[in-house]
């Protein structure tokens, strides 16, 4: 039985850090393990222009724990008014790594997102020219479409038309939750990747809804039926370099999760690496974990893998059930299984 596993230090290709008190409280849980993370721009107000991203990056750097070695990879929030020149300048200066597309109203703080996809064609055109990736929240918001079908319908109505129109555009379908999305990515010839979260490898929709409603398992896109979870497990553990880790760790206080209209998001930063080790071992794929967490993401974004390493040791993981923040407690994702692997940087 493998007792230790050493991998290149992992990165998180989709992360919510928030701002101010929450930022300071959650950031150490990411920097303890991850070298870099793609930082989501859905603040209030959102990170829309290059200047907003520069200011947010400075706030993140100022909040880093003493001695932490961490690089935030900034993104801009795409709106119908986004200026292609501003995006290109932010990319040219090395400030941003991607642009994030939220369909308006799809999720937390997405009100400034896109309704008419034709309006953002000039920005997407420029991104294709300069090689700047688009990260997508892939759900339609049409109220006539069932929430469990919104990802599959997005592929057909939005994703595929965008990729046909902008052939050279690099796209990351973020936090995929369906076999449809995994198949779409697997069958693409080029310029398409997908992130998969930790929690979508563990929960299906029964965990949210059967035997009482479990707000801490509610996130968007919402977890789907078991067959889809198994398809995601297969994609993540397959070794296919188009699939990589984006935790979508999304802290909300318990008070905001446990409302009549509670917030979407699972906070997985503290225990993600232990959960992934468990998942990959269960599927007989521990040898594929480094690719998923540490190699495939940098390769897609054209960045070097980290030179530092992390070692996972077969020792029961300890992690808190919640963290305290000045805003109130934030519950840590409960994977409902013992975690037999502990992770530490070398
Ligand atoms: O569950 C989610 N939480 N999904 C998202 O798309 C946004 C995120 C958040 O910001 O809380
Ligand atoms: Zn997210």
């Amino acid at each position: 039985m493998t007792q230790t596993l050493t991998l290149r230090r992992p990165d998180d290709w989709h992360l919510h850090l928030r701002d101010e008190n929450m930022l300071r409280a959650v950031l150490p849980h990411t920097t303890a393990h991850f070298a870099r993370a793609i930082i989501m721009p859905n603040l209030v107000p959102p990170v829309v222009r290059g200047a907003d991203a520069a200011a947010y990056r400075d706030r993140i750097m100022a909040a880093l724990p003493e001695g932490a070695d961490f690089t935030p990879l900034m993104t801009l929030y795409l709106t119908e008014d986004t200026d292609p020149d501003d995006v290109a300048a932010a990319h040219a200066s090395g400030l941003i790594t991607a642009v994030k597309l939220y369909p308006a109203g799809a999720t937390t703080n997405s009100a400034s997102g896109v309704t008419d996809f034709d309006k953002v064609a000039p920005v997407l055109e420029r991104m294709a020219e300069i090689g700047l990736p688009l990260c997508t929240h892939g759900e339609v918001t049409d109220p006539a479409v069932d929430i469990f079908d919104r990802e599959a319908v997005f592929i057909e109505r939005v994703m595929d038309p965008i990729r046909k129109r902008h052939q050279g555009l690099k796209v990351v379908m973020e936090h995929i939750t369906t076999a449809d999305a995994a198949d779409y990515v697997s069958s693409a010839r080029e310029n398409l990747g997908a992130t998969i979260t930790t929690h979508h490898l563990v929960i299906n929709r029964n965990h949210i809804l059967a035997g009482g409603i479990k707000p801490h398992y509610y996130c968007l896109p919402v977890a789907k039926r078991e067959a889809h979870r198994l398809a995601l497990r297969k994609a993540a553990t397959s070794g296919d370099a188009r699939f990589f880790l984006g935790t979508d760790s999304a802290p909300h206080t318990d008070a905001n999760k446990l409302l009549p209209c509670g917030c979407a998001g699972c906070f997985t930063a503290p225990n993600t690496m232990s959960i992934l080790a468990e998942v990959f071992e269960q599927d007989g794929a521990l040898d594929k974990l480094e690719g998923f967490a540490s190699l495939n993401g940098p390769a897609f974004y054209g960045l070097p893998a980290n030179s530092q390493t992390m070692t996972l040791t077969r020792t029961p993981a300890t992690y808190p059930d919640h963290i305290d923040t000045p805003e109130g407690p934030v519950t840590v994702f409960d994977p409902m299984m013992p975690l037999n692997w502990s992770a530490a940087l070398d």
Side-chain angles (χ1 to χ4, degrees):
M1 226 191 210
T2 316
Q3 298 300 326
T4 66
L5 180 68
T6 297
L7 3 142
R8 299 284 195 126
R9 190 176 174 196
D11 302 301
D12 185 347
W13 299 94
H14 181 129
L15 176 66
H16 298 269
L17 284 177
R18 316 301 188 204
D19 217 340
E20 302 179 344
N21 283 333
M22 188 61 88
L23 165 64
R24 285 185 284 274
V26 300
L27 184 57
H29 295 280
T30 285
T31 62
H33 289 165
F34 298 95
R36 297 170 288 199
I38 289 270
I39 310 300
M40 286 298 119
N42 63 334
L43 303 182
V44 190
V47 178
V48 171
R49 297 187 58 88
D52 304 329
Y56 187 30
R57 185 179 62 180
D58 290 348
R59 297 197 297 279
I60 295 169
M61 295 312 283
L64 282 180
E66 188 76 28
D69 176 12
F70 177 75
T71 305
L73 303 173
M74 307 309 292
T75 61
L76 295 182
Y77 184 121
L78 183 63
T79 73
E80 293 179 1
D81 299 321
T82 293
D83 171 6
D85 291 337
D86 183 64
V87 170
H91 173 250
S93 70
L95 172 64
I96 60 162
T97 303
V99 170
K100 176 70 189 254
L101 165 68
Y102 287 103
T107 186
T108 314
N109 304 332
S110 61
S112 319
V114 178
T115 303
D116 179 351
F117 295 92
D118 286 341
K119 292 207 173 121
V120 296
V123 183
L124 302 185
E125 198 55 53
R126 181 70 82 82
M127 289 169 59
E129 271 164 42
I130 63 180
L132 177 61
L134 179 72
C135 296
T136 60
H137 182 108
E139 290 190 285
V140 292
T141 53
D142 180 346
V145 177
D146 187 275
I147 189 163
F148 293 104
D149 297 332
R150 287 180 181 187
E151 182 171 285
V153 174
F154 181 88
I155 295 171
E156 183 189 309
R157 288 194 196 164
V158 182
M159 185 83 283
D160 203 52
I162 284 181
R163 292 189 59 249
K164 290 202 167 106
R165 181 165 177 180
H166 305 283
Q167 298 267 338
L169 183 65
K170 275 181 115 163
V171 177
V172 184
M173 292 178 67
E174 304 227 77
H175 45 50
I176 60 167
T177 59
T178 57
D180 311 65
D183 289 346
Y184 182 72
V185 172
S186 303
S187 63
R189 274 205 309 280
E190 55 184 5
N191 291 332
L192 187 61
T195 56
I196 302 179
T197 75
T198 313
H199 47 284
H200 288 116
L201 296 172
V202 176
I203 58 168
N204 63 35
R205 64 196 197 179
N206 281 10
H207 294 110
I208 312 169
L209 295 170
I213 192 157
K214 316 288 190 330
H216 292 301
Y217 291 138
Y218 172 63
C219 65
L220 287 170
V222 71
K224 310 297 191 294
R225 62 170 64 241
E226 178 66 357
H228 293 292
R229 185 184 73 95
L230 295 177
L232 299 177
R233 293 271 287 231
K234 197 162 164 232
T237 59
S238 66
D240 184 329
R242 289 171 292 192
F243 298 102
F244 42 93
L245 174 63
T247 65
D248 199 9
S249 183
H252 293 280
T253 61
D254 288 352
N256 285 333
K257 290 288 293 176
L258 306 175
L259 288 170
C261 183
C263 294
C266 298
F267 178 55
T268 53
N271 54 4
T272 274
M273 290 310 298
S274 294
I275 296 172
L276 290 177
E278 204 65 42
V279 162
F280 277 65
E281 181 166 54
Q282 284 168 6
D283 290 4
L286 267 182
D287 60 323
K288 301 293 195 309
L289 179 57
E290 184 181 38
F292 181 70
S294 315
L295 304 178
N296 300 347
F300 184 89
Y301 278 94
L303 295 168
N306 297 305
S307 47
Q308 199 182 355
T309 56
M310 160 182 277
T311 295
L312 292 153
T313 310
R314 192 184 292 281
T315 309
T318 51
Y319 58 91
D321 62 3
H322 72 275
I323 64 161
D324 289 308
T325 83
E327 314 293 324
V330 173
T331 292
V332 175
F333 178 73
D334 174 5
M336 301 167 288
M337 57 183 169
L339 300 182
N340 298 302
W341 292 89
S342 296
L345 295 183
D346 296 316

